């Protein structure tokens, strides 16, 4: 099965705390693309996911991200100061669109980062 990811590595003195101003928008984008927590009844659950991650970011810790079953996942790996979005059911051009949107958000927030894409076979 083909897997696609769009990676964001924080550069220089950038830290997790620098993601705090834009993280709610990043997570909302992933939730919207997955069609998770989009109704008014789901607003409390959506806000809970945002708040759980924000408390870590504001303390400059690696957050949980969003690794639930869905088209896209938002992963914060242990060994890299950064994050990536990953899909095994989406298409390369879809993940590029989402990654480009996130890159624009990070640039607007003046977060220093590098991006890379990975299109590989997965088990």
């Amino acid at each position: 099965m083909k897997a696609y990811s769009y990676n964001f590595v924080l550069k220089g003195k950038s830290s997790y705390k620098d993601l705090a101003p834009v993280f709610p928008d990043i997570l909302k984008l992933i939730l919207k693309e997955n069609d998770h927590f989009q109704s008014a009844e789901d607003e409390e659950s959506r806000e809970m996911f945002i708040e759980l991650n924000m408390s870590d970011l504001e303390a400059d810790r690696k957050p949980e991200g969003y690794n639930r079953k869905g088209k896209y996942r938002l992963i914060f790996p242990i060994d890299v100061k950064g994050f990536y979005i990953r899909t095994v059911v989406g298409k390369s051009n879809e993940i590029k669109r989402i990654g480009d949107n996130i890159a624009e958000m990070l640039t607007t927030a003046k977060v220093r980062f590098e991006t890379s894409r990975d299109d590989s076979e997965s088990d």
Side-chain angles (χ1 to χ4, degrees), residues 11-82:
K11 300 310 287 176
K13 294 183 180 184
S14 290
S15 67
Y16 289 118
K17 194 172 191 172
D18 297 330
L19 297 175
V22 293
F23 185 80
D25 293 331
I26 292 170
L27 184 55
K28 286 176 185 176
L29 175 65
I30 298 298
L31 293 174
K32 182 178 179 188
E33 291 291 334
N34 285 336
D35 198 30
H36 289 172
F37 307 117
Q38 296 304 298
S39 70
E41 296 83 31
D42 293 333
E43 184 175 354
E44 188 175 323
S45 296
R46 182 176 56 245
E47 292 305 315
M48 177 200 65
F49 276 106
I50 292 169
E51 188 56 39
L52 287 172
N53 283 279
M54 289 299 292
S55 63
D56 285 331
L57 289 171
E58 290 166 349
D60 207 17
R61 294 187 304 255
K62 178 181 80 72
E64 178 183 334
Y66 191 74
N67 194 16
R68 300 198 174 224
K69 188 175 183 176
K71 192 172 185 178
Y72 301 100
R73 296 177 184 214
L74 176 63
I75 310 291
F76 285 82
I78 294 171
D79 58 344
V80 176
K81 186 171 64 171

